[in-house]
Structure formats: C-alpha cells, structure tokens
Amino acid sequence: MTRLTAPLRPAMAWLHAWLGLLFGGLLYFMFITGTLGYLDTEIDRWMRPELPAARYPLAPEPALLQAQTFLQTHAGDARRWTITLPIDRNEPYLRVSWRGAPAAAFAAASGTAYLDPDSGQQIATRATAGGQTLYQMHWRLHYLPARVSEWIVGSATLAMLIALVTGVIVHRKIFADFFTFRPGKGQRSWLDAHNLASVVTLPFQLMITYSGLIFVMFSVMPLVASAWYGAGRSGQEAFLGEVFAPLAPSHAAGRPAALVPLDKVLEDARASWGSAPVAMLEIQDPHDAHARIQVVGDFAAGPLRATNILAYDGVSGERLAQRLAWQSAPKAFRDLMLGLHEGLFAPPVLRALYVLSGLLGAAMIATGMVLWTSKRRQRGERHAGLWLVERLNVAIVIGLPVAIAAYFWVNRLLPVAMAQRAAWEVHSLFLAWLLMFVWAALRPPPRAWKEQALLAAALFAGLPLLNALTSARHLARALAENDTAMAGFDLAALATGALFAAIAWAVARRPPLSG
C-alpha cells in the first residue's frame, strides 16, 4: 500500500493544502454551528428563560386536550394546527402552532405557543432565534437563497471528504502520530495537534461528511439518487413522492363541521403502535367537512430517521391511510444517513461524544488553517496572500466564537417587546463577526489572536452572571432544582471561557504565526 501511494503523496499534499485553504473557513463555520445544533434544545431553553424546567414524558391524553382547547379558543379560524407533545429532550414542552386566517385573539395569521400542560395556559416567552437557527446556519448559511447555499455547502462538504482521504494518504505515520504531541515546538506542535484531532475523530468525520452529502444528493451527488430512483425528472419525482408526499391530502369542502375529539384519534394510534410514543398531530382545515388529521410517531426513536404516520378523517375519526417507517431499502439508507448526521436518537453519553467529535473536527480545521500560514512564514514568504490569510484565520477561528457569544448576550440585552427581535439577534451575531474581521485587519496577528481570545473568554465566562442578572433561572437555582438545561448551559459557558483564556495565555507565550 505504501509503494502504491508514495507517488501520489506530493499531489495529494498539494490538493489537501489548497482544499483546506479554499474551504477551511466555511467548513469551520459549518462545524461550529452544526455542533451547536446537537445542543439546540438546551440553547433554546437558555434563550427562553421564562420557560420552566421541562417535564417529560407526560401522559398524552390530558396534554392533547389542553392543546385542542387552546387552539379552538385562540386559533379557531386557522387552516392548519400542529400539536407537539413532550416526549423527550428533543421535544420537552407542550407546544402548538397554527397557520392560516387570523383569529380574534391574535393579530397574526400564524404563531407558536408553549402551553402549561396542567392548566393549558400559554407560557409567555420572548421571541428568539434560539439554538435551532444556529443549527440551520450550518447548511442554510442564513442570508443566502436556499439553492445557492445548497450548492456552496455541498461543494464544501465534498471538498471535506476529499481532504479527509488525501490527509490519510499524505500522513504516512498518521496513526503512530496519534500518540505523539510535542508542545512548544511551533509548527511541529500545530501539526501534532492537527494529526491528533484528525485521527481520533476520523470515523466520525467520514460519517458526518458523507451523510451530509445525502442532504444535497440531487445537486451534488445526482448519480446516487439516479441509481436508486432512476434518472431525470421522473427519478426525482419518485424520490420526493416516497419521502415527502402528503398522506391522504386535504381539499377543503367549504362546509363547516365539528372536529372529532383528538383523544379518539390518539386512542386508535396508540392501539396500533403499542408502546411507541405519539410525538405530533397535524390537523389540516380543522373546522371543515374534509378535515384531515395526521398522527406522527417519534423520528428520534432510533438512528433510522423515520417513523410511522397515520392519517384520519377529521370529522368521523376514520383511519384513511398509513405510512410505515420502512418503505424501501433506498429510503431506509437515506433515513439512516440523516439519522446518524442529526444524532437526535443519541442518549446523553453518545450526544456528548457527538459534541466532542464536532469540536475536535473544528479544531482539526483550525489547526490546518494555521499550519498553512505557519509553513509559509517559516519559509520566509512575504506577500499579500499570506497577509490576508493570517488575518482571516484570526477572525474566523476566534472571531466566530466571539460572535456567537455576542448572540447570547444580545438575547438578554434586547428589549423583550422589541419588533423583529429574533431577526436582530442574528443580525447582531454577524455584525459582531464583521467587527472581528475589522479588528483582525487593523491589529498585528499575534496581538489579534490574544485580544480576541481574551474577549471570547470574557464574553463566555460572563454569561452565567448575565443570566443571573436578567432572569430568575440563575445557576444556583438551576442546580438546586435539577434544571439540567439551564445549569448545563451556564457550566458549559464557564468551561468555554476558561478554554479561551487558556488559548490567550498560550498564544501570548508563542503566537501561532511564529514558525
């Protein structure tokens, strides 16, 4: 194997380095925001401190009754209702949403409300972009059109897969180097750190990269879908029909009719599924003679991201159709890849490993970016490209965490009643990040590394204090009441602050750009 790959190594090394240079910043952004996505529920909880500690699972019948009563009272004219039941940490609260014509009690045609499962009363919470927005950033890139971001992210993910393969070929002793770390050795230390982060998470990186490509199989990997469903438009329609086609679609009759009690539908679904939980009910045209109800199981019950779905007549309660979790081998493969990528099924220990692997993946990319500049500085290169990359590295590697910390600070500092509040949380993140780019451009790189790392340390370490000053859910109370989401966020913020303080101390002793 060594003899076969030896002639390829120079070309592979060149390809590995330049893919890292061209896509490193974007991939780092994707890894950081994607890793935060594994904790989106906990981040959502911290950014909505008005919510009580979650209680799940709850008996579905009384929760469903409270939800139906609330929707009939406050969103009776809506065309669509969705009821999400609290079954696990992915969905820890009773939540309802509605879309369609505005009701008398609400000014908006669409909305979402968290409900107290005992009283059925709405829990007033601030508008926030939350953790889910951070998660979606890693493939939607937020401000870009969906098709554009799909192509950009797909190309970057494909580049990542190639970089992983070429990295294995280039580093002949990569697995032996796993046991080697030489601190304080400049470029050698950065290479050791890069190898360590790469090897320890290599299976995870390969899985997360390939499974990510499944999201964009029709744009980046069209041959994969064609092999399963056939080529051309007909193949795409066959895939979309199997995965996304509605079950027993509704066509409103325009004649009013009373909606069947939802507990009747729930009883039938539970009789069919046994111990499998009901996660969601979707009601289309709830007060029409052609109302339809879909009962959806738990997509996070296992690594296969699929579940059973039942469709009912909304007036009679008659079961009309069902869709099983398993439909075909191609769809099951897709569902497995998505399930592994999202990790929603993971218990706490495995979820922690997902987060750790994601952070090490980001560290792998960051150290690779620093290595590119360190090697050229050691060779005595001085040119505009090196000047630019040195400063971009600071703004990306340290500036992005600073911007994310600012996002959390703004969540607590903006007025609760502010219009477009959630949107301005996100705008503030990118404005803070832009400021980090300006900062990196104006300061010498060694000082910028230290200064931005100190700023990140201060912002993250200050989040528990900010939480205590702006809510009643401070760290001491959260620990006393076993409110794991709130306490976990504050403790993680303190740990992150300590990490960036250590980075500031380390770069003050030996700047990353000194060969």
Side-chain angles (χ1 to χ4, degrees), residues 182-191 371 374 378 510-512 514-515:
R182 289 153 283 196
K185 300 294 184 181
Q187 181 182 313
R188 181 70 255 181
S189 299
W190 286 102
L191 181 58
L371 271 172
S374 180
Q378 191 174 52
R510 189 180 185 92
S514 62

Side-chain angles (χ1 to χ4, degrees), residues 156-425:
T157 307
L158 188 59
M160 176 72 177
L161 186 61
I162 297 170
L164 289 171
V165 174
T166 54
V168 172
I169 295 174
V170 168
H171 298 294
R172 289 172 292 179
K173 299 179 181 179
I174 188 169
F175 292 102
D177 288 343
F178 169 68
F179 300 98
T180 304
F181 181 69
R182 289 153 283 196
K185 300 294 184 181
Q187 181 182 313
R188 181 70 255 181
S189 299
W190 286 102
L191 181 58
D192 287 345
H194 183 68
N195 289 338
L196 177 63
S198 302
V199 176
V200 75
T201 61
L202 183 59
F204 174 84
Q205 308 304 341
L206 290 170
M207 179 277 292
I208 211 72
T209 303
Y210 178 74
S211 61
L213 288 173
I214 300 300
F215 281 103
V216 287
M217 62 167 59
F218 278 104
S219 56
V220 178
M221 301 178 69
L223 294 179
V224 174
S226 298
W228 290 343
Y229 296 95
R233 182 72 177 177
S234 60
Q236 183 172 358
E237 290 178 351
F239 168 77
L240 294 175
E242 186 173 59
V243 177
F244 299 113
L247 203 60
S250 168
H251 301 285
R255 301 191 308 273
L259 184 69
V260 64
L262 294 180
D263 57 351
K264 177 182 177 181
V265 172
L266 180 66
E267 181 182 358
D268 181 82
R270 297 185 74 187
S272 177
W273 293 348
S275 60
V278 173
M280 180 187 300
L281 282 83
E282 298 177 338
I283 302 96
Q284 185 70 35
D285 298 313
H287 294 115
D288 189 86
H290 284 178
R292 294 289 182 266
I293 301 172
Q294 277 199 162
V295 180
V296 183
D298 183 10
F299 278 98
L304 193 72
R305 197 188 184 286
T307 189
N308 297 323
I309 302 175
L310 298 172
Y312 294 86
D313 184 291
V315 176
S316 68
E318 176 189 1
R319 186 191 297 184
L320 301 177
Q322 70 172 334
R323 176 180 293 154
L324 300 177
W326 178 278
Q327 292 177 264
S328 67
K331 181 180 180 297
F333 178 77
R334 171 195 176 273
D335 293 339
L336 176 62
M337 290 295 100
L338 295 189
L340 291 174
H341 189 91
E342 293 182 340
L344 296 177
F345 69 95
V349 173
L350 183 55
R351 180 169 293 274
L353 290 175
Y354 262 83
V355 173
L356 178 61
S357 297
L359 293 176
L360 287 174
M364 172 187 70
I365 296 166
T367 52
M369 293 163 62
V370 171
L371 271 172
W372 192 91
T373 58
S374 180
K375 287 181 178 179
R376 281 147 185 81
R377 176 177 282 272
Q378 191 174 52
R379 293 200 295 255
E381 295 184 20
R382 295 290 187 274
H383 50 76
L386 180 59
W387 183 95
L388 176 63
V389 174
E390 284 177 338
R391 284 150 180 83
L392 288 176
N393 283 351
V394 180
I396 292 170
V397 174
I398 305 296
L400 177 60
V402 168
I404 292 171
Y407 175 69
F408 297 138
W409 275 79
V410 167
N411 168 261
R412 296 303 181 84
L413 297 179
L414 289 179
V416 173
M418 177 181 175
Q420 300 296 315
R421 189 179 191 280
W424 274 105
E425 287 181 351

Side-chain angles (χ1 to χ4, degrees), residues 32-65:
I32 291 293
T33 53
T35 300
L36 290 174
Y38 290 123
L39 302 172
D40 63 334
T41 301
E42 291 74 18
I43 293 173
D44 276 337
R45 169 78 174 87
W46 192 89
M47 297 181 79
R48 290 186 176 93
E50 300 85 2
L51 289 172
R55 293 182 293 141
Y56 56 83
L58 297 179
E61 290 85 359
L64 191 60
L65 176 62

